[in-house]
Amino acid sequence: MIEKEPDAKTVLVVGDSLAIDLAKALDRFYASETQLAIVSKGVGSSGFVRDDYFDWNAAIDDYLTNQPFDLLVVAIGINDRQEIRAADGRHQPLTPGWRLEYERRLNLFLSKVSEAQKPVVWMGLPPMRKTSYSKAMSQISSMHRLAAFANGAEYVDIYERFVDDDGNYSSYGPDLNGQNVLMRKSDGIHLSSAGSDKVAFFIDKVVKQFYRGGEISVAVVDPLAETDVYDMLRPPFQGIAQIRKLELAGAVRELGAKSKSQELVLATKPEVMALPVDQLFAAPQGRADAFGVGEALEEPAE
């Protein structure tokens, strides 16, 4: 085993049992990287719902104070389809009251890490074998995606990496060498070692955007700063890989309005119709996880 440098940067991996497996995979992935160390703090059966069992918001306070780390990786959610207790009572899974309390806990957790100026990479949930459970996990994952966007975290969508050609759950799939191998454990929920290694590969693509030359930095340069385009209508710049201002700085105008190729649309113009943030995360129509945020709008009644 290759020894890590004394001043190696630390990637803290938190979450449920998915995080435990992911931390092992990241440890394997960075085995030869002497300046990057993985610290696993996953807790089996935990989540953001049962804070009486394990409170992740209390835990992150402790880690920020007593567990020095440079970047946070989160993999969580498979235990969260259960009743949640809020100040106004108990709420059944995915009901409006449940969503409000769950979102509050997600945003509180992420805001604490953001205020500490630590980069966050959040792993999306894969499809599950049981259809009803998979639908619930997709809705929860959509909430994770929005919370990540709102708090400047990077969200890594792995859903399509674990489906067959028809977009359905598949226990097998190509590994990092292109070989068709077992990607999931027998419970139809967890990832196999090969599946976790595959996720680690995609997590690394985002980590490498913060980790450069032995240093981890959250500094981001807006390529549109100090230009007229900077004031165009667009979502706030949240992170590097998730959404770039440059990619979203397109022409925004009223429906039916004539094109004005030489005129920029500024945020100060009240007549301009901005794209709702939730539409940015709508899953493609027909994809099995097009629930919650990705749910298509109903047709208006005749």
Side-chain angles (χ1 to χ4, degrees):
M1 181 176 178
I2 299 177
E3 292 292 328
K4 303 293 183 179
E5 297 291 341
D7 60 347
K9 299 303 176 183
T10 301
V11 174
L12 180 65
V13 185
V14 302
D16 51 34
S17 48
L18 289 177
I20 296 174
D21 290 338
L22 178 58
K24 293 176 182 177
L26 288 170
D27 211 23
R28 292 191 292 269
F29 193 92
Y30 295 121
S32 61
E33 177 57 74
T34 62
Q35 296 190 32
L36 198 64
I38 304 299
V39 174
S40 177
K41 289 293 183 179
V43 178
S45 301
S46 69
F48 280 101
V49 170
R50 288 290 308 277
D51 58 1
D52 57 320
Y53 168 71
F54 190 86
D55 188 344
W56 276 108
N57 272 296
I60 198 62
D61 285 336
D62 179 53
Y63 298 153
L64 286 168
T65 302
N66 303 310
Q67 175 68 60
F69 67 92
D70 300 287
L71 185 147
L72 185 71
V73 173
V74 183
I76 199 167
I78 59 174
N79 304 302
D80 283 345
R81 190 185 61 167
Q82 48 185 315
E83 182 182 81
I84 198 169
R85 290 186 297 181
D88 61 346
R90 297 174 179 267
H91 301 280
Q92 292 302 306
L94 299 170
T95 58
W98 187 97
R99 288 175 177 272
L100 284 173
E101 177 61 18
Y102 193 74
E103 289 170 353
R104 185 191 70 79
R105 297 182 187 187
L106 289 177
N107 286 308
L108 179 59
F109 177 89
L110 283 166
S111 66
K112 292 177 179 181
V113 187
S114 176
E115 289 171 3
Q117 297 186 325
K118 305 290 186 181
V120 180
V121 180
W122 194 293
M123 186 194 89
L125 298 175
M128 305 296 170
R129 183 166 57 201
K130 188 175 180 181
T131 302
S132 60
Y133 179 60
S134 191
K135 289 179 178 179
M137 291 301 101
S138 291
Q139 293 184 60
I140 288 172
S141 205
S142 291
M143 297 171 71
H144 292 172
R145 186 196 299 257
L146 275 178
F149 174 79
N151 292 278
E154 300 294 327
Y155 181 90
V156 180
D157 187 352
I158 65 169
Y159 187 95
E160 293 186 349
R161 307 295 178 180
F162 296 93
V163 296
D164 59 21
D165 292 339
D166 297 320
N168 299 316
Y169 171 93
S170 178
S171 295
Y172 286 81
D175 64 6
L176 296 178
N177 296 313
Q179 301 298 314
N180 193 45
V181 301
L182 186 65
M183 289 279 112
R184 310 299 293 270
K185 293 183 180 179
S186 59
D187 59 9
I189 297 173
H190 293 85
L191 301 170
S192 66
S193 292
S196 295
D197 286 342
K198 189 173 183 176
V199 173
F201 173 81
F202 292 105
I203 294 291
D204 170 69
K205 298 302 181 184
V206 180
V207 170
K208 286 294 175 59
Q209 297 188 57
F210 296 104
Y211 175 70
R212 308 178 190 89
E215 295 295 328
I216 290 180
S217 172
V218 295
V220 176
V221 177
D222 185 352
L224 303 179
E226 299 182 358
T227 70
D228 290 337
V229 183
Y230 184 83
D231 293 322
M232 293 177 65
L233 279 175
R234 51 192 177 164
F237 187 31
Q238 303 287 358
I240 302 172
Q242 180 65 27
I243 292 200
R244 298 177 184 271
K245 277 185 172 181
L246 188 59
E247 295 170 350
L248 294 174
V252 181
R253 59 190 178 91
E254 290 182 280
L255 295 175
K258 294 182 179 180
S259 176
K260 299 180 180 179
S261 59
Q262 301 301 318
E263 181 178 340
L264 293 175
V265 180
L266 303 180
T268 54
K269 293 189 175 182
E271 72 275 14
V272 176
M273 183 180 297
L275 180 68
V277 172
D278 59 356
Q279 289 186 20
L280 293 172
F281 303 105
Q285 288 193 5
R287 202 170 94 167
D289 66 335
F291 300 97
V293 174
E295 188 175 9
L297 297 177
E298 296 183 0
E299 291 294 331
E302 294 291 341

